[in-house]
């Protein structure tokens, strides 16, 4: 049986253990390439929220892949916090201007170049950018040469 707010459980063998506090489930929405169309993300979140009970609403949206585009539409205000990493055209500028991340506008957050952040109670590891084949070509060739020896 469980007793009061201390969440103490007493078993049949007259021993007790303290239970971990129950945590509410964190609901997040993950999306891929936005390619500058923040309005579409906002529209989808609003549409999904209209079909769900308030208790089932998402606490955050995580966008991965190509968030930026040559033609960005950032006039929309997301209804919930949107966190993104980027591998699109603006990635280099974002990382150079704010390697530790920044709030780009209300409810829109660039996580940064790389790191770990706590979002909606979740620890999130992130990495912005894209693998540049030329940068890794010499390393791969050196590994091949070492394996041949």
């Amino acid at each position: 049986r469980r007793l009061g707010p201390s969440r103490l459980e007493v078993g049949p063998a007259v021993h007790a253990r303290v239970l971990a506090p129950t945590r509410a489930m964190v609901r997040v929405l993950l999306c891929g390439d936005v390619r500058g169309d923040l309005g579409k993300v906002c529209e989808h979140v609003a549409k999904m929220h209209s079909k769900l009970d308030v208790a089932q609403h998402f606490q955050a949206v995580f966008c991965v892949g190509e968030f930026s585009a040559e033609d960005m539409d950032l006039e929309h205000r997301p209804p919930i916090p949107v966190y993104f990493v980027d591998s699109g055209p603006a990635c280099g500028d974002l990382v150079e201007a704010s390697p530790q991340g920044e709030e780009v506008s209300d409810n829109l957050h660039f996580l940064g170049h790389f790191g770990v952040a706590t979002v909606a109670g979740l620890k999130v590891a992130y990495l912005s950018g894209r693998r540049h084949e030329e940068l890794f070509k010499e390393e791969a060739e050196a590994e091949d040469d070492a394996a041949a020896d």
Side-chain angles (χ1 to χ4, degrees):
R1 70 179 196 229
R2 293 186 180 161
L3 304 173
S6 67
R7 312 267 307 153
L8 184 66
E9 183 177 274
V10 178
V14 192
H15 69 279
R17 63 185 169 130
V18 177
L19 299 175
T22 305
R23 293 185 183 184
M25 182 184 301
V26 177
R27 294 179 56 94
V28 297
L29 179 64
L30 305 174
C31 51
D33 296 338
V34 172
R35 294 193 175 109
D37 196 354
L38 182 60
K40 192 174 218 175
V41 173
C42 296
E43 183 181 307
H44 282 296
V45 169
K47 187 175 182 179
M48 293 175 82
H49 278 184
S50 72
K51 296 177 182 180
L52 298 170
D53 292 330
V54 173
Q56 295 178 315
H57 284 191
F58 298 101
Q59 282 83 32
V61 178
F62 290 99
C63 299
V64 298
E66 288 189 27
F67 186 83
S68 62
E70 294 295 329
D71 185 29
M72 293 287 295
D73 177 12
L74 297 177
E75 293 181 18
H76 296 275
R77 184 180 184 276
I80 60 175
V82 173
Y83 297 86
F84 69 94
V85 293
D86 194 20
S87 64
C91 178
D93 293 337
L94 280 167
V95 167
E96 186 176 318
S98 185
Q100 299 305 313
E102 70 175 318
E103 184 173 16
V104 177
S105 64
D106 288 343
N107 271 351
L108 183 61
H109 308 268
F110 172 58
L111 286 169
H113 189 196
F114 62 90
V116 177
T118 301
V119 176
L122 300 172
K123 285 237 186 230
V124 180
Y126 59 89
L127 174 64
S128 286
R130 140 180 320 194
R131 184 172 189 268
H132 192 298
E133 191 65 38
E134 291 299 314
L135 296 175
F136 293 92
K137 189 174 183 178
E138 290 178 19
E139 185 177 313
E141 289 172 355
E143 287 176 3
D144 290 345
D145 291 343
D149 289 339

